Amino acid sequence: MPGCCSCVSAFKPRWKRLVDNIFPADPQDGLIKNNMEKLTFYALSSPEKLDRIGEYLAKRLSRDVSRHKFGFVFISMEALDQLLLACHAQNLNLFVESFLKMVQKLLESNEPELQDLGTRSFIKFANIEEDTPSYHRRYDFFVSKFSSMCHNNIEGVWRVRIRLSGLRGLQGVVRKTVTDDLQVNIWEQQHMDKIIPSLLFNMHDGPSSSSSSQQDHQNLSKQTVDDDQPSGVAETCLRDLTCRAAFGNIKSVLKPVLSHLDLHELWVPSTFAVRCFKIIMYSIQAQYSYVAVHMLLNHLDENTRNSPQIKQSIVEVLAECVSIAADGSIGPSVLEVFNTLLRHLRSSVDARLTERRASKTPIKRASYSDEEQHTMFEEAIIITIGTFATILPDYQKIEIMMFIMGKVPLPTRYEHSDEDYPIPSVNGEGDLLLQNMLLKSLLEVGTKYTTVSMANTFPISFLEPLLAISVVSDSGLRLLVQQILHTLVDRHDNVGKLSVSDIPKDISQLDLRVEKSSRQDILFMKKHGLQMYWHLYENIKLSDNDKCNFNALYCTLALLCIELGGDEVLVELVRLTLAFQELASKSDGKLSVHHQCAIQALVASYFNLISQLTAIPAFCQHVQQVIEERRKRATYLVPDVVFAKNVHDVNYPSVLHLEHTSTLLFQQEVIGEALHSTGHDISRLNTPYVHRPSGIEYRQQTDNDAASINIEIESLSSSPAGNRKYAEEQITFESLKRALQSPSSDLDMEEQERERRQEILETFKSSTLDEIAAISEQRSQKMHNKLSEILDKLNKPRSTTPPCSPQGHSSLSSPSQPVQSVPLYEMKFPELLVY
């Protein structure tokens, strides 16, 4: 019988005998290395036999698996691995098919050892770079099987080993297929829906290896992931998969991530979600990072009706992604990003208001935690808006601030600050909440902006609505507006050094940075100064101002003086401050005593600042004298007492009478003389500040004579773009006589006009900007002189009217005399038409 067997084996092909010779009699002895070397040499010499060798090994392995001869199974796989690594012939594709069948056979087994063996063999195969492409090879089974192995729940040590095998198998599939366009498309949604959840499951289920969530990209690139833990391997695989994703494949990776977080409710708390997206953002190609941001925004839209906690977590993840992606995270649609965030902010405010109203009914009561969740969500949106604004250039930040300002509900009805002049008020509780959140968003964006020119920072479409909200009835909104002004006006970080309760004798202790105002800033204050002064005056009158409001107003006034304090602006600020003092000195009962004392204290603190900034000795001496006199006689007018923490210790009088107490008030004459001695123009200071609803000062109409007024104003032809309009000339005997005496006068006038236009044109072409400005100032001075002449004539007593005739008619209307028109001084013009 043994001779018969040896006789049969002698008739086997050589490749089959070589395969049989590698197997020992006892599987514990392992692979016979000498015979394996012979088989390898034969395979290299006759590569056409590789496919038959592979089929024969596959048949033996299937038989050994079915007979549970696992020792021979290990030997077969070891032989296959060595042949696979040694052979690189064109016929390797046929051998690979047999190899993959054997790996599939092992993975289908229920034995953990065989599954681990099959995975290790597949990983070795995945690391081989093939010379020839394969058009028909598919990996669907391996994706499904490895993904299922990642969720293995076998008790004992094998659970971790099988999960590690599944993760490494997925990593091998990705590495094998992602770089070959002829292979199966691993980015298809059916494959990503299996791979991504398997990775996230192990990242969340295992011990936290989330050092990446607390480190920057440099630390991430240096850290070594623990290969013994599924979470570390899954994290590495996710990075590897993300960094290989092209533009068209990023969404295939991100969609399963968002779905997994939704289905398994992993958004709250946001720690794991932030960790996942940090890994993605650090791994994704920089030019494609904005896709992740937009997908998160779309996902936020899809969860509009979800709980505030989930939406808050999504927004927090969004903020982290933006901070990592930097300037490439928004993409082309900048306003759309902010519009989405502001829309969710408004919807949250509406939901909070609805729940608050429902809590007042006995049917349903909203818990405090629900409103707190909405508030936390809104704060998260505000922080995210600020994070987005950080990466934008300054010109876009201005556009974003204007865009946010356009979303703020402006006051539409009015409340009365006094009986004469109304101030705007909010429309209701909903508008109040929305204004509060939008102004906080605006403040957050403003903190990221660097002011250079006030004209660019405050366009009229942004300044007017901002000032309109600065005088609403809610003190919290007014405080927010003042803080926004501080952020945008303060260019040298001085606002933190200013306090209304401080009266330093030496202002150098504050270390304020003061620079000379530019011409552009001076022109800005000439154009918008009156409007700002009016709103500051109206703001300080409001009765619900607290210490924070007064301190904010003081800082605003101080910053206007420091940043924009030219000569004219300084005089106007002194004039406005004296108007504050006059307002608080009246004992008409419109302001409470506490309010009057607070205004007087603010005036003292502000004059102390201005006097030392100007460094005028007489000014400083007068301010110090008044403050010292107040400390002796009226401590309730001193800033460090009025605005102290323990305000209850201040003894306020029942009624404040200051109209006739000159030693406790700052004197306009003394301040004016001090300013005039240093070359300041105090003509405006001598004119009392008149507060009008529109912020524009109107002169009272007088009945003085205006018959002899002759106004000579340069025509519009002084500007090259203007068209001169001539007054209609009355046809009289003298005019006809002149026309007959000079027949060519019209031609001469046209020639003179042409020469004048040419002269003006040459002036604008050849002169410098300073020369043109000097000419303009000269014309303005002429206009001012003419206006002064007119006002002087208006102050003269009016001439008497002619007496009436006995018949009751004026003598001017007698039939014997021609009918005269009504004199100019007899006409009654409306007040608004008189300048």
Side-chain angles (χ1 to χ4, degrees), residues 93-106:
N93 279 335
L94 298 178
F95 177 74
V96 168
E97 294 298 327
S98 301
F99 170 79
L100 293 178
K101 288 180 180 179
M102 286 183 279
V103 173
Q104 181 175 345
K105 186 70 175 180
L106 294 178

Side-chain angles (χ1 to χ4, degrees), residues 538-663:
E538 191 64 46
N539 202 327
I540 208 169
K541 291 169 55 179
L542 299 176
S543 59
D544 60 340
N545 284 327
D546 54 13
K547 288 191 294 185
C548 293
N549 291 103
F550 283 112
N551 187 72
L553 288 170
Y554 168 78
C555 291
T556 303
L557 289 166
L559 290 174
L560 289 177
C561 180
I562 295 172
E563 298 289 343
L564 306 168
D567 293 343
E568 296 183 11
V569 176
L570 177 64
V571 173
E572 288 292 340
L573 289 174
V574 171
R575 182 165 168 259
L576 178 65
T577 310
L578 291 173
F580 292 163
Q581 178 179 260
E582 183 182 358
L583 172 68
S585 302
K586 297 177 181 179
S587 57
D588 52 5
K590 292 183 179 180
L591 299 180
S592 65
V593 174
H594 294 77
H595 196 174
Q596 288 177 286
C597 294
I599 295 177
Q600 293 287 358
L602 184 147
V603 169
S605 184
Y606 190 56
F607 271 140
N608 180 69
L609 175 69
I610 292 181
S611 63
Q612 297 194 48
L613 285 176
T614 55
I616 302 175
F619 195 0
C620 295
Q621 182 180 1
H622 175 64
V623 171
Q624 293 300 325
Q625 288 177 354
V626 174
I627 292 176
E628 292 300 326
E629 188 69 20
R630 288 185 177 186
R631 289 189 186 277
K632 295 176 182 178
R633 298 173 51 192
T635 57
Y636 47 82
L637 301 179
V638 182
D640 52 3
V641 176
V642 175
F643 299 112
K645 295 183 179 179
N646 299 323
V647 293
H648 302 289
D649 299 339
V650 183
N651 295 321
Y652 290 102
S654 57
V655 180
L656 190 65
H657 296 283
L658 295 175
E659 293 91 337
H660 306 291
T661 312
S662 60
T663 57

Side-chain angles (χ1 to χ4, degrees), residues 13-281:
R14 185 184 177 189
W15 56 269
K16 188 176 291 188
R17 293 198 305 271
L18 292 173
V19 171
D20 292 336
N21 291 337
I22 65 175
F23 291 95
D26 187 0
Q28 294 183 357
D29 295 338
L31 183 66
I32 301 175
K33 295 182 179 180
N34 293 333
N35 294 337
M36 186 64 213
E37 292 177 358
K38 295 178 183 179
L39 177 61
T40 304
F41 179 77
Y42 178 80
L44 292 173
S45 304
S46 305
E48 69 276 0
K49 301 296 184 181
L50 268 176
D51 57 335
R52 298 183 183 182
I53 295 173
E55 290 179 2
Y56 186 62
L57 281 172
K59 186 183 298 184
R60 289 203 56 154
L61 184 136
S62 299
R63 183 184 62 192
D64 293 336
V65 170
S66 61
R67 295 178 180 178
H68 295 277
K69 295 181 179 182
F70 297 147
F72 290 111
V73 172
F74 281 92
I75 294 173
S76 299
M77 291 307 301
E78 185 178 356
L80 282 169
D81 293 342
Q82 293 188 20
L83 289 173
L84 196 63
L85 294 174
C87 302
H88 296 283
Q90 294 183 353
N91 296 331
L92 188 62
N93 279 335
L94 298 178
F95 177 74
V96 168
E97 294 298 327
S98 301
F99 170 79
L100 293 178
K101 288 180 180 179
M102 286 183 279
V103 173
Q104 181 175 345
K105 186 70 175 180
L106 294 178
L107 294 176
E108 289 175 346
S109 174
N110 294 328
E111 298 294 332
E113 296 180 357
L114 298 184
Q115 294 181 6
D116 183 60
L117 175 63
T119 302
R120 284 189 275 112
S121 297
F122 183 83
I123 294 172
K124 293 178 182 178
F125 161 71
N127 292 328
I128 298 176
E129 295 183 3
E130 300 183 53
D131 298 332
T132 57
S134 175
Y135 298 94
H136 56 281
R137 193 182 304 162
R138 298 194 61 83
Y139 296 91
D140 296 359
F141 167 79
F142 296 101
V143 172
S144 301
K145 184 61 181 179
F146 289 139
S147 298
S148 64
M149 291 171 63
C150 293
H151 295 81
N152 187 277
N153 287 320
I154 299 176
E155 296 295 334
V157 296
W158 276 108
R159 178 171 63 180
V160 176
R161 292 186 61 181
I162 293 300
R163 288 188 180 183
L164 285 172
S165 298
L167 292 169
R168 289 170 181 151
L170 289 176
Q171 195 172 12
V173 173
V174 172
R175 187 179 297 116
K176 193 67 179 176
T177 59
V178 75
T179 57
D180 192 353
D181 295 336
L182 298 176
Q183 299 285 2
V184 62
N185 188 4
I186 199 67
W187 304 109
E188 291 181 359
Q189 201 64 41
Q190 56 178 344
H191 299 316
M192 287 291 107
D193 288 341
K194 299 174 183 177
I195 296 175
I196 298 299
S198 302
L199 301 179
L200 298 180
F201 171 77
N202 284 275
M203 288 173 58
H204 183 262
D205 189 63
S208 177
S209 58
S210 60
S211 60
S212 60
S213 63
Q214 302 172 359
Q215 298 176 350
D216 58 10
H217 184 46
Q218 295 178 353
N219 294 332
L220 278 172
S221 61
K222 294 178 181 179
Q223 79 172 33
T224 57
V225 182
D226 189 2
D227 291 338
D228 296 333
Q229 295 296 333
S231 59
V233 178
E235 188 174 320
T236 303
C237 187
L238 181 60
R239 284 202 196 94
D240 189 30
L241 181 66
T242 307
C243 71
R244 296 172 182 269
F247 175 75
N249 303 324
I250 297 174
K251 293 184 178 181
S252 301
V253 177
L254 294 177
K255 284 182 180 178
V257 174
L258 297 173
S259 300
H260 183 83
L261 295 174
D262 288 340
L263 294 175
H264 295 273
E265 299 179 353
L266 299 178
W267 285 110
V268 182
S270 62
T271 307
F272 180 70
V274 169
R275 176 190 167 198
C276 293
F277 273 91
K278 276 194 170 184
I279 293 172
I280 292 173
M281 295 305 295

Side-chain angles (χ1 to χ4, degrees), residues 680-723:
H680 291 80
D681 183 9
I682 62 171
S683 58
R684 291 282 295 168
L685 188 62
N686 297 327
T687 305
Y689 179 84
V690 180
H691 187 61
R692 295 296 180 186
S694 61
I696 301 176
E697 296 179 35
Y698 295 94
R699 187 177 301 276
Q700 292 289 339
Q701 181 184 5
T702 62
D703 294 331
N704 295 334
D705 184 19
S708 60
I709 296 177
N710 183 20
I711 304 175
E712 293 180 2
I713 301 176
E714 289 191 353
S715 66
L716 290 176
S717 62
S718 60
S719 173
N723 295 324

Side-chain angles (χ1 to χ4, degrees), residues 405-432:
M405 197 70 235
K407 299 287 185 180
V408 178
L410 296 179
T412 56
R413 63 185 179 86
Y414 290 85
E415 291 182 357
H416 291 276
S417 60
D418 54 38
E419 60 185 7
D420 297 324
Y421 308 129
I423 62 171
S425 172
V426 294
N427 297 332
E429 187 178 9
D431 284 344
L432 179 63

Side-chain angles (χ1 to χ4, degrees), residues 446-459:
T447 56
K448 317 299 180 184
Y449 176 75
T450 303
T451 302
V452 178
S453 172
M454 294 298 171
N456 296 333
T457 305
F458 294 102

Side-chain angles (χ1 to χ4, degrees), residues 261-372:
L261 295 174
D262 288 340
L263 294 175
H264 295 273
E265 299 179 353
L266 299 178
W267 285 110
V268 182
S270 62
T271 307
F272 180 70
V274 169
R275 176 190 167 198
C276 293
F277 273 91
K278 276 194 170 184
I279 293 172
I280 292 173
M281 295 305 295
Y282 279 129
S283 304
I284 202 171
Q285 299 181 42
Q287 65 269 27
Y288 304 146
S289 57
Y290 74 92
V291 179
V293 174
H294 280 268
M295 287 197 68
L296 281 170
L297 287 172
N298 294 334
H299 195 69
L300 182 62
D301 290 337
E302 295 172 0
N303 287 269
T304 302
R305 299 183 179 275
N306 220 323
S307 67
Q309 286 182 314
I310 293 178
K311 293 188 290 185
Q312 177 188 348
S313 297
I314 297 175
V315 172
E316 290 175 354
V317 172
L318 184 63
E320 293 291 340
C321 292
V322 172
S323 62
I324 295 172
D327 54 354
S329 60
I330 290 188
S333 54
V334 177
L335 292 180
E336 183 62 30
V337 171
F338 286 92
N339 188 36
T340 301
L341 293 174
L342 293 176
R343 186 173 66 251
H344 284 281
L345 183 63
R346 175 156 195 163
S347 64
S348 177
V349 170
D350 293 341
R352 179 149 60 105
L353 182 62
T354 302
E355 292 182 1
R356 183 180 296 181
R357 291 172 178 172
S359 64
K360 298 179 182 179
T361 62
I363 300 176
K364 179 182 178 181
R365 291 190 176 274
S367 63
Y368 174 76
S369 60
D370 293 338
E371 184 168 350
E372 186 178 6

